[in-house]
Amino acid sequence: MTFNNVVVVGGGTLGSQIAFMSAFHGKNTTIWGRSDGSLDRAKARVARWEEAVKKDIGATDQQVKDAEAHLHYTTDLKAALKGADLVVEALSEDPDVKNDFYKKFSDLADPDTVIVTNTSTLLPSEFADATGRPEKYLGYHFANSIWKNNTAEIMSQSKTSKDLPKEMEQFSREIGMVPILVNKEQPGYLLNSLLVPFLSDALVLWNNGVSDPETIDRAWMIGTGAPLGPFAIMDSIGMKTMYDITKMSTNPEVKKASEKFKTMIDQGKIGRESGKGFYTYPDPDFKKPEFLK
Amino acid sequence: MTFNNVVVVGGGTLGSQIAFMSAFHGKNTTIWGRSDGSLDRAKARVARWEEAVKKDIGATDQQVKDAEAHLHYTTDLKAALKGADLVVEALSEDPDVKNDFYKKFSDLADPDTVIVTNTSTLLPSEFADATGRPEKYLGYHFANSIWKNNTAEIMSQSKTSKDLPKEMEQFSREIGMVPILVNKEQPGYLLNSLLVPFLSDALVLWNNGVSDPETIDRAWMIGTGAPLGPFAIMDSIGMKTMYDITKMSTNPEVKKASEKFKTMIDQGKIGRESGKGFYTYPDPDFKKPEFLK
């Protein structure tokens, strides 16, 4: 089955990016928002993604215009769901908010409509039954700036049908993503299951005074040939996200590192986007040849 | 202080590489071995490193000849230690073997002679007092094929003097290494403190059926821009070493993975060097552009 009519529920950072890339690739796409205010904020975000795709992937004005023609906005859920093939739930990470939506969705949507959740931190199985179609439901996780960091992790829960991951794989390719199949529920999907503990281990080494961020990055870069060490990766994630991740950690040594991120944020060292984090951009030391010598 | 007279104790894989690179960079270097047989094996290894430096870093015949002129072999410990500035202990990872050597060293060596241990898995603090000069003793850890993977991790223990890491930093540069300072004792130094848990996390995802090696590597490569995912890194480490690492793991989920490595070894899939591991070499799939699409 090909998904042509796509509804994205919630126009936040990721929701608006998913909707925009879906429209950009010719899908008839609707962003549903709770209020006119939330739709206005979604539109402002989409305007930023329009500039970003021109800059980052060389999109033309015409392509952006075509995307706009495919992208619709509504606060009317019933109208949005009419004829929808695929609904991408991208609401806030609050179980009550999600359950409340799924109940409405279950009542209003056609039984054939597929629904996927963009949750990062909750597990799809928590909500599968609330959707009224657990076999047509799975987790669908993106990186940020999805037009260039174009992974789409497709994570089944125990009741997901065998066919749905394949259909989502096809849809992902159609909207310019590289599908990454996650065969069973795994908190953090694949990338964050590897990345979060990796960054945490580096933070613990730093926190315990074993070494400093630059030396740790150098060891990783020389040892594995990677273009970025863990602290350079944190710069690209941004200190606000790192603060949120570490603050929630169950490992007290990692949790302690959240204080360091708070200090960095207070000092305006917010990460690559702000020009300063562990390194100074746009010419960070780790890109200089002498860094590895 | 500049270390010009270097003794490497033990001519195994790493010992012979360290001695060879020391001699290659003009240091007067001696390999001490327990018997003529062990010295013969060390010489055979050095002959391999001579070919390797020609191939890998474009060393000339003359450079190799000069290295040979700087490299000596002896079974006479007293003679070896006479006038030694720096002793690199590269014996097997057996505390009794190391303690036995340190006792002899302590009796025979000049009090000014510095000693470092190439241990990977034991902690230098266990042996510091046995050397008779704990302030002149630290951990000194290399990767394999040190002429190209040229990190030298310099790890102080609590009694190491403040100056010794700096002197070892200078020595490391003099023998072509990139020094990586580890300010206090850390099992695994820096690189393995990050790498071993990272590889273990990837193995657990695979073992639990969450995804397959290629998909996990793809997620990591796209998500972080790295040239190798965890399973490609395992191929370059080799299945025998991976078997040893996982077999000793205290995490039962990681330990279970050792069975998979045993099967791979039995099938002749020993890793990159054998042409087959998780990928087939010299043109592994992960190097093909479509792998990331």
Side-chain angles (χ1 to χ4, degrees), chain A residues 123-124 138-140 153-157 182 184-186 189:
Chain A
L123 288 178
L138 51 69
Y140 196 41
E153 295 189 89
I154 298 161
M155 184 168 80
S156 295
Q157 36 87 25
V182 187
K184 53 164 114 160
E185 263 191 348
Q186 166 70 30
Y189 298 70

Side-chain angles (χ1 to χ4, degrees), chain A residues 151 173 178 180-184 186 191 194-195 197 201-202 205 208-211 215 219-220 222-223 225 227 292-293, chain B residues 151 173 178 180-184 186 191 194-195 197 201-202 205 208-211 215 219-220 222-223 225-227 292-293:
Chain A
T151 48
R173 291 196 188 282
V178 179
I180 302 283
L181 289 180
V182 187
N183 302 330
K184 53 164 114 160
Q186 166 70 30
L191 182 57
L194 295 175
L195 191 58
D201 287 343
L205 290 174
N208 287 347
V210 175
S211 199
T215 304
W220 183 256
I222 300 176
L292 301 181
K293 282 178 186 159
Chain B
T151 48
R173 291 198 188 282
V178 179
I180 303 283
L181 288 181
V182 187
N183 302 328
K184 53 164 111 164
Q186 166 69 31
L191 182 58
L194 296 175
L195 191 58
D201 286 343
L205 290 174
N208 287 348
V210 175
S211 199
T215 303
W220 183 255
I222 300 175
L292 301 181
K293 280 177 188 161

Side-chain angles (χ1 to χ4, degrees), chain B residues 102-124:
Chain B
Y102 289 134
K103 188 175 174 345
K104 285 181 195 144
F105 165 85
S106 178
D107 293 343
L108 291 170
D110 186 277
D112 284 344
T113 302
V114 164
I115 178 158
V116 297
T117 176
N118 182 48
T119 186
S120 306
T121 54
L122 303 168
L123 288 177

Side-chain angles (χ1 to χ4, degrees), chain A residues 197-215:
Chain A
F198 170 68
L199 299 179
S200 300
D201 287 343
L203 284 171
V204 171
L205 290 174
W206 178 40
N207 252 344
N208 287 347
V210 175
S211 199
D212 56 278
E214 293 206 0
T215 304

Side-chain angles (χ1 to χ4, degrees), chain A residues 139-154:
Chain A
Y140 196 41
H141 189 248
F142 293 80
N144 202 350
S145 304
I146 70 171
W147 49 90
K148 53 178 182 177
N149 304 324
N150 61 334
T151 48
E153 295 189 89
I154 298 161

